[in-house]
Amino acid sequence: MDDIWEPHAPAADGGLRPLAAEGLDLRAAGEATTRRLADGRIEVTAESPGEARIEWRLPCTDATALWTPDPRGTGWLPAAWSAPRRTSLAKGAPVAALVGTGDHAVCAFAAGRADVLAGAGVVEENGEFRFWVQATGRLTVRIDTSRRHFARCLADLADWWADGRTAAVPDAARRPAYSTWYAMHQDVTPEAVEAQAALGKELGLDTIIVDDGWMTRDRTRGYAHCGDWEPLSLPGTADHVRRVHDLGVRYLLWYALPFIGKESAAWDRLGRHALADAGHLGAIVADPRYPAVRDHLTDRLARAVEEWGMDGLKIDFVDWFAVPDPPAPGPEADCATVDEGVERLLAAIHARITAVQPEAMTEHRQPYTSPGLWPYTTMVRATDCPLSPQENRQRTVDLRLVAGPVAVHSDMLMWHPDEPAEQVACHLINVLFAVPQVSVDLAAQNPGQREALAFWLGVVRTHLDTLQRGELRPDRPDLGYPMVTAAGDGTVVVARYAPLPVRTGDGPWHTLLVANADADPEVRLLGVHGPAGITVRDARGRIVRNDTADLAGDTTVTVPRGGLLTLSRPPA
């Protein structure tokens, strides 16, 4: 191997030694072994008392994008000297895929531990693509060069991660939800929450998530009042929760887990246990290596379920625990690493709330998506992208690809009061393969907006298994997924975000849905033959076509923007 390294690579004589691997220039530092899993798939393990490192190169031919799970992380090929990614239990996931023409994976990989440093990029001098991963101690990496669809490769790597170490995900975690954040921000009251819960239930929103503001009367959006978690804006909390439950709606409550605010009563006792200073927020990031911190936060969060009857927690800002250079722990600490403290904290919270409510839900958020967190969460939400449907689409699809069993939620959907019904429908179509969260004032919606919302929430609920559990095949990650398909149990759902033909063929499906989020209404179907029932609905769910046609393999059907085409035929 030549001497072309980015600053984080060891020198040429730094102990990397070659390993046998078909089609790869594979090397490792430390005691290393390889194991062949299947055609084009291997597992490499390296172990060292210091830094173990696994590195490999391959020709960068016919490549279009480097896929990563990071927000805004896909769509280009970085240079080999680009800054590496550091992942931990609290931030990121150790996985990536070099995607080629036709959406096959030129090479995909995942590490078997959360805390790694990983780099990937084009070697300018010779056009190769180089990957490397390093960590202290034992490191295992799976490498996939099978050239299957990149989504299939990533799903297999996620299955390897799971290995039985996941929380049970209740059906409720997969049903549409209402969030108070964009609609109310901190102005939450029992009356406002109950009003939106009632309106949401009528439209198909089965859960309400109350966000920031419930624990303070301050409305300046700081975090100086975090840490005590008293329901100052939700008086009579248990009775209020019962009224929401009487509507048939589940209830989750938001917590900014790491923050101890400088205006909180907890400050005097815990302020000295600072992992980092979030001074501009009026708070510290509390250090979970200390039992006093973990015990306090566990008691505060578990109270929502144990005392007030909540159905779960929205746990925010876990990624703030991922401090690059944490201070040395004091004598009261009982964890060697911050990751160990985070895991103990989340495990304690999970144990407490599920002891009372076995189907309690816990929401996490990008970018804390490590598989090491799967035992402590039931759902993960796309990071904030208000009123940006393309970003919401890309982030939810990215999450779906490596979320394993965890339910993936969209960032909250919001729109201007004058938004046409067609665009409301497109907001929902853009997150069709995730659980939609909605955050607008439902009482202020006009009839068209309400109809679009109710119609598409109905589609999500009716086809939940296919949309959320079916095999996901997104097209063209380099272009932000202009088309996405999910298939399962005889149903195929295609969402079209650009004027592209739909190629489903005559596979073993009896129901084909095509959701059109593009301004071009002419949806071209390729490879579908024979008689089929055709129903077209507009963005508000109104039928604009309902008949039968004999399809000849290249058929164009007019589907209005925000509308839905349904083809039906007898099961094969």
Side-chain angles (χ1 to χ4, degrees):
M1 185 174 286
D2 57 36
D3 312 297
I4 302 162
W5 304 102
E6 86 299 310
H8 290 81
D13 59 353
L16 288 176
R17 61 185 183 86
L19 299 171
E22 185 177 352
L24 297 176
D25 182 357
L26 175 66
R27 302 195 174 219
E31 294 297 320
T33 59
T34 62
R35 182 165 69 97
R36 186 174 181 271
L37 303 173
D39 289 342
R41 284 169 274 177
I42 62 172
E43 183 175 286
V44 187
T45 298
E47 191 162 7
S48 169
E51 291 292 325
R53 181 179 177 106
I54 299 169
E55 179 171 322
W56 63 101
R57 295 189 182 198
L58 69 167
C60 188
T61 56
D62 225 12
T64 60
L66 177 69
W67 182 93
T68 76
D70 302 331
R72 298 182 178 273
T74 300
W76 67 305
L77 297 177
W81 44 258
S82 299
R85 295 188 302 132
R86 183 176 295 279
T87 64
S88 68
L89 184 74
K91 188 174 184 179
V95 60
L98 180 62
V99 182
T101 302
D103 295 334
H104 71 274
V106 178
C107 182
F109 87 89
R113 54 186 288 180
D115 54 329
V116 303
L117 186 68
V122 174
V123 180
E124 296 170 346
E125 286 78 358
N126 58 18
E128 290 183 327
F129 200 88
R130 185 181 61 175
F131 294 91
W132 59 267
V133 187
Q134 70 182 41
T136 302
R138 184 180 178 86
L139 171 64
T140 298
V141 172
R142 286 200 172 185
I143 302 171
D144 188 331
T145 57
S146 64
R147 302 185 78 83
R148 296 172 297 160
H149 192 280
F150 81 100
R152 181 67 262 161
C153 295
L154 292 172
D156 282 354
L157 292 170
D159 287 344
W160 171 53
W161 276 341
D163 194 28
R165 299 177 296 107
T166 61
V169 178
D171 288 342
R174 299 188 182 277
R175 304 186 79 79
Y178 182 88
S179 168
T180 61
W181 180 237
Y182 293 144
M184 300 182 193
H185 282 111
Q186 290 185 310
D187 294 323
V188 294
T189 65
E191 295 77 17
V193 170
E194 291 164 30
Q196 296 298 323
L199 292 168
K201 183 64 177 179
E202 294 175 2
L203 294 170
L205 300 168
D206 292 322
T207 298
I208 192 162
I209 303 171
V210 172
D211 211 288
D212 193 359
W214 64 271
M215 74 301 178
T216 178
R217 296 189 180 92
D218 182 84
R219 295 295 179 257
T220 59
R221 290 212 211 174
Y223 296 92
H225 299 277
C226 292
D228 297 334
W229 302 113
E230 295 291 343
L232 301 182
S233 292
L234 294 178
T237 311
D239 289 339
H240 159 61
V241 172
R242 275 193 290 273
R243 291 193 293 272
V244 171
H245 283 165
D246 288 345
L247 299 169
V249 175
R250 290 177 171 84
Y251 200 133
L252 271 67
L253 197 60
W254 171 90
Y255 289 84
L257 180 64
F259 299 144
I260 300 294
K262 296 178 180 179
E263 301 296 328
S264 70
W267 176 261
D268 290 340
R269 187 163 56 90
L270 299 176
R272 61 194 175 91
H273 295 316
L275 184 64
D277 185 9
H280 64 295
L281 300 178
I284 60 161
V285 176
D287 193 335
R289 292 175 294 183
Y290 292 89
V293 169
R294 297 196 306 272
D295 291 347
H296 172 81
L297 293 176
T298 299
D299 287 342
R300 293 291 89 190
L301 271 69
R303 184 183 181 196
V305 177
E306 292 173 343
E307 295 183 24
W308 302 330
M310 302 285 182
D311 300 284
L313 311 172
K314 173 178 180 174
I315 298 181
D316 213 345
F317 298 110
V318 171
D319 52 312
W320 280 64
F321 286 122
V323 174
D325 297 303
E332 298 170 58
D334 64 350
C335 296
T337 66
V338 175
D339 275 3
E340 182 184 352
V342 171
E343 185 161 19
R344 287 193 188 189
L345 172 59
L346 294 175
I349 294 168
H350 179 76
R352 286 274 293 271
I353 66 174
T354 54
V356 175
Q357 169 55 276
E359 293 199 340
M361 294 176 280
T362 303
E363 181 191 286
H364 288 181
R365 175 172 58 86
Q366 261 180 329
Y368 44 103
T369 55
S370 166
L373 297 179
W374 290 357
Y376 317 118
T377 187
T378 59
M379 50 224 258
V380 58
R381 178 176 65 82
T383 195
D384 300 28
C385 51
L387 233 172
S388 183
Q390 191 279 335
E391 279 293 317
N392 224 344
R393 172 174 83 244
Q394 184 158 349
R395 293 176 186 186
T396 51
V397 171
D398 284 347
L399 283 172
R400 275 288 311 276
L401 289 170
V402 289
V406 179
V408 171
H409 283 233
S410 74
D411 185 39
M412 294 78 72
L413 304 181
M414 58 159 291
W415 49 82
H416 189 274
D418 295 333
E419 194 82 279
E422 291 76 12
Q423 183 62 12
V424 171
C426 288
H427 280 293
L428 286 148
I429 296 171
N430 271 277
V431 299
L432 192 58
F433 304 93
V435 181
Q437 288 191 19
V438 175
S439 189
V440 293
D441 181 358
L442 297 174
Q445 302 304 294
N446 64 42
Q449 292 167 330
R450 288 178 59 83
E451 289 169 10
L453 187 52
F455 170 60
W456 280 103
L457 290 176
V459 172
V460 168
R461 292 160 63 93
T462 300
H463 299 284
L464 185 148
D465 278 347
T466 301
L467 292 169
Q468 295 184 38
R469 296 189 177 99
E471 181 178 1
L472 189 70
R473 291 181 68 90
D475 291 354
R476 301 298 301 271
D478 54 315
L479 298 179
Y481 309 127
M483 187 176 295
V484 182
T485 302
D489 295 329
T491 297
V492 176
V493 182
V494 180
R496 175 182 181 265
Y497 308 105
L500 300 174
V502 176
R503 303 174 185 273
T504 60
D506 289 320
W509 54 265
H510 54 75
T511 303
L512 169 65
L513 305 178
V514 181
N516 182 33
D518 189 71
D520 174 20
E522 302 305 308
V523 175
R524 187 179 175 198
L525 305 174
L526 300 179
V528 183
H529 299 80
I534 299 177
T535 302
V536 178
R537 296 178 182 269
D538 69 9
R540 298 163 67 170
R542 300 173 300 190
I543 294 176
V544 297
R545 177 179 175 180
N546 191 25
D547 58 22
T548 301
D550 195 2
L551 305 182
D554 188 345
T555 304
T556 298
V557 180
T558 300
V559 183
R561 175 170 169 261
L564 178 67
L565 163 65
T566 303
L567 294 186
S568 302
R569 62 187 189 187

